[in-house]
């Protein structure tokens, strides 16, 4: 059984900050957001976790292997280097969606995302080291079949983007509703999902659903391991197998 | 009449690079992509333009005011600092979608996005300085009414995200089909659209369409100027007016 | 006659910030300082100027071509993206050292570098555009003859570093005292000096002085132009000529 | 007895790369170098080590606690995100200078720093985990007494810099020759030295030597621990004690 440790990362009081005392230049906001995401990717990634940019002011991380002290150091490092601070909330559940729900609830209990006095909250209980197993994290890495040939090299780039975006929008809803899984667009034609115990039929259903709903053809490689990094790398290799063998679903 | 100068930025042969000789660590790819976007935001933004991350391997910029030499320097600066290179293609049209279509076509003519020999292409004709006017760039800045109160502080973060994402997916398609405009999610609950001569009724229709289709309430501030930076800042101020006066559409 | 526009960049109240409320982690300070320097290099460099890291909390820039509005935007962009702010002071003089002296005086008049209330000062008068000439900026680019063969590939890296550092310490003092020039170590075995009207004999004296004083053999390429970027690139090409022709001094 | 684990980080074939096919823009080189340093600071710092920028193309790290796999991952992460690669060489010795000498020798044996075929070398033996003790790393953190009052707020910034630089140049040589310690300027008026078993008299001698030689007044806090991060933080606190009690040397 999977046991995902999920961390919600929320920039404190970000919306009001972006327009105080007047609206700040968009290019600086974009630079700030994307660099904060890059830094969090490294801070969490150096400890074998994954971060997804989500809405940038709220990011979602898979943090199996990171304890409370690791989270505190990441929070401190952001505070030392950015004009904004972050709150972090951790939860563990066999269902990734349930874990994120619990993590979100901790922060909501601590105050509004736009409460100027609610800063650098750190809540929740990481998975005890003794309880960790090699089956805790399941990552499914989807991409679009021949995206370059069918979209990038053929269509107006915005229409390519609309196709990818539609595929993602369908998949994210389907995986969340059918399988309590959290799917994130990670650039190009790639979507990475944090899943629980979905079996081959489940992935085939997901791929089939997206094909029928919006005509976008996906394939998926699935990996399971102790950390997001290890499970994600296994999923990438499985996806390479899909490519070589023209299959829709491969497990590492 | 608007006259958008749009630049398509495409990482050369990126997909194959990410899996050669074996799949590269996802955290490094995420870091690379988001930092490249941050750098392009600054390189273009320091010349009064805007860049949108789009798919990260293909980014779209509004570059009124940047000439061919500016583009060449940006291309060179990326090549000097990243393990990947970028191709750039520029086009001008009163319709932003048409401009991007032309720009995309230039790159497609030069070779596939995954052609290992097609590197650092720079094509297209920037708007002649003498032809530039204060009405060239129109930016519409949308956000979601009370996103914090209705979503962030209430729902599982993934469900907040699904709502924002659905609003975006509807708006991007509607604006592209009805108004040849290009809409980009820029984080939080914000969407920035590069528009042509859409009038108040047009924006009200768009807001109404998204509300009916997916139940997400948007408002929008619109600004027009010589550059993306100036038009975008005017749009932000107009959006503040929407907030203060509880209106759906405001023009700067 | 040269006419250097020099900008002093000073982080406001930085020392106290680094130990408030307790000493901050050194790795975060190092990351902050070096990224701030990198960002200023790009912000100034995209406008054809040069920045030198100097002491990191005080940086020196050659900013011919940047007006007050450019400086204000750089100041704003730093404030939008860092937990610290910067003060900027601009001065122009045929003597680079005198220009920096004037610029320093402006900030000292405005208050102490550790005055918590002295923030985001912007003072001084940029060179009027009409007064600018192609002879305003002179850059001398020095490097060490065969540094790799004599030091890097032979000695303990710290002893290589001591040699380079001694060469730099001698050159910086000599050029400042004999020629009112400002010399900056820029990494590897490279030193870039902002000079006034030093002639060939002057450079030969400088090279000779360093050789005699500490036994380090330098060569130098010199370029003159309207901006630091253009003069600096000319100096690099002249230095390549030194390398090819085994000469000590070359003018572009 | 101290037992420093020192890693030499060398950019492969960097000098030739900077001028191939023609000299690259200095601002891009400065940006590349300082960001690479920032990234290494985080990559090593997240594992409790310290990196010093030294010459930027050759950097020195104190890496107690990092094993060969950690080094390999850092090397891979740089290769994934930069247009250059790095070689790493590790050595352990009670004498920091001797450790760096051994580490340098490994790389020199593997080929020249400017050998285009010598790439991503990883050599040397990290300290076995079982052999590590709480006395392995000793960090001495020096700063200049009242640098702001005596220099920054009084002198031309270049003359302030010359004073700091002279103090550093004297200290680095003295500590290396008298105590086999490696001293690094880290910005502002701060110097961090990696030391072996220097006692109070040794530090007083060093401070006295610099005062007599160049008239710069230093004080120093010293910390000892299992990692650079812990020893360095203890040294910072000891330096705060110097400040409060007007002493020249304090041990944590």
């Amino acid at each position: 059984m999977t046991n995902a440790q999920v961390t919600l990362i929320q920039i404190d009081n970000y919306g009001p900050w972006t327009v105080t005392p007047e609206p700040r230049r968009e290019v600086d906001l974009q630079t700030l957001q994307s660099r904060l995401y890059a830094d969090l990717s490294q801070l969490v990634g150096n400890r074998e976790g994954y971060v997804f940019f989500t809405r940038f002011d709220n990011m979602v991380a898979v943090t199996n292997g990171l304890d409370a002290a690791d989270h505190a150091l990441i929070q401190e490092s952001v505070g030392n280097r950015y004009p904004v601070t972050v709150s972090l909330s951790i939860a563990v559940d066999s269902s990734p969606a349930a874990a994120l729900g619990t993590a979100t609830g901790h922060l909501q209990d601590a105050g509004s995302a736009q409460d100027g006095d609610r800063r650098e909250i750190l809540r929740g209980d990481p998975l005890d080291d003794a309880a960790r197993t090699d089956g805790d994290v399941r990552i499914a890495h989807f991409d679009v079949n021949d995206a370059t040939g069918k979209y990038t090299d053929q269509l107006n780039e915005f229409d390519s983007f609309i196709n990818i975006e539609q595929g993602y929008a369908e998949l994210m809803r389907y995986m969340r509703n059918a399988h309590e899984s959290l799917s994130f667009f990670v650039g190009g034609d790639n979507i990475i999902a944090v899943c629980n115990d979905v079996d081959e039929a489940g992935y085939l259903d997901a791929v089939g659903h997206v094909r029928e709903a919006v005509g976008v053809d996906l394939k998926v490689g699935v990996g399971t391991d102790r950390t997001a990094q290890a499970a994600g790398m296994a999923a990438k290799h499985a996806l390479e197998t899909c490519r070589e063998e023209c299959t829709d679903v491969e497990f590492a």
Side-chain angles (χ1 to χ4, degrees), chain A:
Chain A
M1 199 179 70
T2 63
N3 213 8
Q5 177 177 311
V6 172
T7 302
L8 174 59
I9 303 169
Q10 189 173 85
I11 305 181
D12 296 314
N13 200 26
Y14 184 57
W17 182 85
T18 64
V19 292
T20 302
E22 293 199 55
R24 295 175 194 256
R25 296 170 72 235
E26 190 64 32
V27 294
D28 287 339
L29 300 179
Q30 293 300 311
T31 305
L32 169 67
Q33 292 172 187
S34 49
R35 287 193 178 161
L36 176 57
Y37 168 62
D39 273 348
L40 287 164
S41 281
Q42 289 291 314
L43 285 163
V44 171
N46 271 303
R47 295 166 173 88
E48 307 293 312
Y50 268 18
V51 187
F52 302 100
F53 56 78
T54 323
R55 298 195 280 160
F56 286 100
D57 59 351
N58 286 268
M59 292 177 261
V60 176
V62 183
T63 56
N64 292 63
L66 282 78
D67 62 18
D70 292 327
H71 280 81
L73 188 141
I74 290 169
Q75 190 174 53
E76 177 188 339
S77 188
V78 170
N80 280 340
R81 296 190 277 129
Y82 283 88
V84 294
T85 54
V86 293
S87 286
L88 304 177
S89 178
I90 312 160
V92 178
D93 202 296
S94 61
S95 152
L100 182 57
T102 303
T104 310
H106 292 324
L107 282 196
Q108 289 164 346
D109 291 348
S112 169
Q114 297 198 350
D115 175 343
D117 295 326
R118 199 218 68 184
R119 290 201 167 274
E120 296 196 317
I121 304 297
L122 176 50
R123 296 233 174 139
D125 295 306
L127 191 50
D128 194 72
D129 208 50
R132 297 178 57 207
T133 77
D134 289 347
D136 284 344
V137 187
R138 176 161 298 173
I139 296 283
H141 193 133
F142 295 82
D143 75 5
V144 175
N145 293 333
D146 194 23
T148 301
K150 280 196 297 189
Y151 303 125
T152 310
D153 287 348
Q154 299 293 335
L155 305 182
N156 181 318
E157 169 56 21
F158 203 78
D159 298 322
S160 294
F161 182 42
I162 286 176
N163 275 285
I164 300 294
E165 188 66 23
Q166 281 194 294
Y168 172 51
E170 279 303 320
L171 185 70
M172 81 186 291
R173 280 202 305 267
Y174 187 87
M175 291 297 287
R176 194 263 182 266
N177 294 331
H179 299 299
E180 305 195 31
S181 300
L182 308 177
S183 306
F184 301 92
F185 177 62
V186 294
D189 61 339
N190 296 269
I191 297 163
I192 293 180
V194 188
C195 301
N196 55 4
D197 303 305
V198 183
D199 61 10
E200 185 170 10
Y203 290 109
L204 285 171
D205 276 353
V207 167
H209 171 80
V210 174
R211 185 182 295 126
E212 279 168 40
V214 293
V216 173
D217 286 322
L218 300 171
K219 59 183 171 294
V220 57
V222 185
T224 306
D225 211 315
R226 197 174 185 79
T227 63
Q229 161 64 26
M233 189 53 83
K236 282 168 179 268
H237 282 285
L239 188 64
E240 291 296 291
T241 306
C242 287
R243 192 166 290 139
E244 288 153 15
E245 310 200 349
C246 296
T247 47
D248 282 349
V249 183
E250 291 287 341
F251 287 77

